[in-house]
Amino acid sequence: MTDISGLLNDLVPPLLDQFQVPGIAVGTSLEGTRTLSGFGITSVENPLPIDADTIFQVGSISKTMLAAVVAELVKRGALSLDATAVSLLPEPGALDPRITIEQLLNHASGIDAQHMIGAAPRLLASGADDSLLAALPHFDTEPLRFPPGTDFSYSGPGIMVAAAAVEAVTGAYYPDLLRHELLAPAGMKRTFTTADEVMTYRVAAPHDLAADGSARVLHDEGWQRHWQLPSWDVPGGGVLSNVRDLMAYGEYLLASDVADVVLKAYRGRGIENQEIGLSWFLDRVDGDLVWSHSGVTVGYVSQMTVVPSAQLTLAILTNSQAGGLAARKIERELVRLVTQIDLRPDLDQRVEVDLNDFVGVYDNGFYGTIELTRGDGDGELIMESKPTVVGEGEFALGSPSRSVLAAYSADALIVLRPAEDAGLLVGYVRGPDGRVAALRPGSRLALRSAVPKSK
């Protein structure tokens, strides 16, 4: 029998120290048998032990829950994935009339508009309306990244449009709809959308690293007002949950015909064997299908992964901006132990390409710029990411980073260094002239904007 508890007890505590993550909760469900574990503390200022019921912000795992709600409506004939958002919304503004519900949920709408996330502290000052309908006018000032349905680029604002359309179709407030269509049927008893609802339970506080490398609590340092995310961000990232409830969610998906709608492969993500369903990322690894979605909010990083062939669900919740590296290692080790599937690509795989085709500067929108230059090592590229410069009252996500990459396949580069990021794939797109026209870091399309001289 697989000793999941033993693996976690050996694996997780050293990661807390290595990455200065105060707390991590891990849940697994294997053929319906659950292992729920908590490590570390809720807060370095007011510490309580993390347990299976400790509530975290789950970030973009929230998007998959919207997809489940939509699937229920589709099953009942109350909504069509082919319906255009404009046809459903009472005040669509300048939203492109071609964009469908399906395209919004699988990130093929072309909507970028990530600037509104960074501008949220200013847009939502003085108690401004933060409803889903109030978000729509902020999409009118930015052109689409590509014509709807022709490409793929991860879009949080696109999810907001989909949720606004769902509210319009049902006449229901989204959190109420979420509770009725998913949380109650799945038995998710402690999953919420507001600070008021969680205040009587144990909640993990958000953290980042201080200048000396130690963990510190974040106070009012995000794009949201205080701790709770805006109402318009609830469908895309504002759900609050714990690993016990996320196991109930995964078991519900595996047993329900909702999966027939949600987990159909609607389109590719630009890299071979990588597809997308309704919000869920679908990866084919040595013949096995893996569903996954990560989540990041200010002070939290999360991961949820499902391997249907093994009836395995796992969720990892961390209360630190630095928690992603720990979550990735736990995910890979658990999946390998239980299923023998290795989620990390082969670091030695290479293809022959002209690396000069990649050299240039790429516009990553709200996330800043990416510059690729030739590396010193044979077959290596240097990728430097620089966050955007924001105005007063706005928020910039991310920090400067530097990675060494190599050409992995006809559609992807692979990160070699730093070691903690080794194995991450960065997709790329060639234009009609054969030159690289765009990168896809973090599944977001970054278009080439200039070409500096190569080394």
Side-chain angles (χ1 to χ4, degrees):
M1 185 175 179
T2 304
D3 183 12
I4 293 174
S5 291
L7 170 69
L8 292 174
N9 289 336
D10 291 339
L11 177 64
V12 178
L15 296 176
L16 297 177
D17 292 333
Q18 180 181 354
F19 299 113
Q20 286 297 295
V21 177
I24 297 177
V26 183
T28 67
S29 173
L30 181 59
E31 297 181 340
T33 299
R34 296 182 187 176
T35 302
L36 306 173
S37 305
F39 302 89
I41 57 175
T42 57
S43 168
V44 296
E45 294 181 355
N46 298 287
L48 291 171
I50 295 284
D51 61 24
D53 296 305
T54 302
I55 294 172
F56 296 71
Q57 291 184 2
V58 305
S60 290
I61 293 172
S62 307
K63 294 177 173 67
T64 71
M65 298 180 189
L66 170 62
V69 169
V70 168
E72 290 287 358
L73 297 174
V74 168
K75 283 168 46 189
R76 293 204 297 269
L79 179 64
S80 169
L81 293 177
D82 294 329
T84 62
V86 163
S87 70
L88 303 176
L89 292 165
E91 299 177 15
L95 189 68
D96 191 292
R98 299 170 292 178
I99 295 173
T100 67
I101 298 301
E102 178 203 312
Q103 291 164 355
L104 291 165
L105 290 171
N106 59 39
H107 304 290
S109 69
I111 291 174
D112 190 41
Q114 301 286 350
H115 69 278
M116 68 170 294
I117 297 174
R122 173 175 53 80
L123 296 174
L124 298 177
S126 303
D129 184 3
D130 67 353
S131 67
L132 286 163
L133 283 178
L136 299 182
H138 300 297
F139 302 142
D140 295 355
T141 60
E142 190 168 326
L144 296 180
R145 211 71 170 163
F146 48 80
T150 65
D151 210 328
F152 164 82
S153 185
Y154 190 83
S155 171
I159 293 294
M160 296 179 196
V161 177
V166 167
E167 281 192 339
V169 166
T170 61
Y173 180 49
Y174 177 72
D176 295 337
L177 196 63
L178 176 67
R179 189 176 304 108
H180 182 266
E181 299 291 349
L182 175 63
L183 304 185
M188 301 169 71
K189 298 178 180 179
R190 291 191 181 179
T191 297
F192 307 107
T193 60
T194 67
D196 282 352
E197 293 170 296
V198 303
M199 66 176 294
T200 56
Y201 301 104
R202 185 168 300 189
V203 180
H207 296 77
D208 200 354
L209 299 180
D212 64 359
S214 63
R216 67 180 183 90
V217 175
L218 297 176
H219 296 278
D220 287 345
E221 295 186 49
W223 58 75
Q224 69 271 30
R225 293 178 290 194
H226 311 303
W227 181 74
Q228 177 181 315
L229 268 65
S231 294
W232 68 32
D233 228 359
V234 165
V239 171
L240 315 168
S241 191
N242 57 55
V243 292
R244 189 185 303 277
D245 273 15
L246 291 179
M247 291 307 94
Y249 176 38
E251 292 163 2
Y252 175 76
L253 287 178
L254 286 169
S256 169
D257 58 0
V258 167
D260 296 337
V261 179
V262 173
L263 294 157
K264 172 185 172 182
Y266 288 90
R267 65 186 65 249
R269 300 188 342 249
I271 298 176
E272 186 179 8
N273 294 320
Q274 294 190 1
E275 299 165 315
I276 190 163
L278 292 187
S279 296
W280 283 95
F281 289 81
L282 313 179
D283 293 273
R284 301 184 188 278
V285 185
D286 296 330
D288 281 287
L289 181 65
V290 179
W291 319 337
S292 67
H293 211 295
S294 60
V296 178
T297 53
V298 177
Y300 302 89
V301 178
S302 60
Q303 178 67 42
M304 187 167 180
T305 303
V306 182
V307 184
S309 63
Q311 292 289 290
L312 171 67
T313 297
L314 67 91
I316 304 140
L317 302 176
T318 80
N319 61 345
S320 175
Q321 203 75 34
L325 301 175
R328 190 181 311 134
K329 187 171 182 63
I330 296 167
E331 177 206 29
R332 287 172 174 172
E333 290 298 317
L334 277 175
V335 170
R336 185 180 60 81
L337 173 71
V338 176
T339 70
Q340 287 73 58
I341 296 172
D342 189 352
L343 295 179
R344 189 167 80 163
D346 181 0
L347 290 173
D348 295 323
Q349 179 175 315
R350 297 287 186 278
V351 294
E352 290 291 331
V353 294
D354 184 352
L355 295 182
N356 289 319
D357 285 348
F358 295 85
V359 172
V361 176
Y362 299 81
D363 174 15
N364 204 19
F366 168 64
Y367 294 87
T369 59
I370 295 170
E371 183 173 2
L372 286 185
T373 57
R374 292 294 300 269
D376 295 328
D378 184 37
E380 293 182 349
L381 288 164
I382 305 297
M383 182 173 75
E384 294 186 277
S385 299
K386 301 176 182 178
T388 188
V389 177
V390 298
E392 184 177 352
E394 298 190 354
F395 179 85
L397 186 65
S399 56
S401 64
R402 187 177 189 273
S403 304
V404 179
L405 301 88
Y408 174 78
S409 66
D411 49 29
L413 304 170
I414 189 168
V415 176
L416 305 178
R417 298 186 294 279
E420 57 266 26
D421 290 338
L424 293 180
L425 297 182
V426 178
Y428 62 87
V429 181
R430 293 189 183 274
D433 61 357
R435 296 207 56 173
V436 175
L439 302 177
R440 218 186 302 265
S443 295
R444 292 181 175 89
L445 199 65
L447 303 175
R448 182 192 287 272
S449 57
V451 183
K453 294 180 180 179
S454 60
K455 285 188 176 179

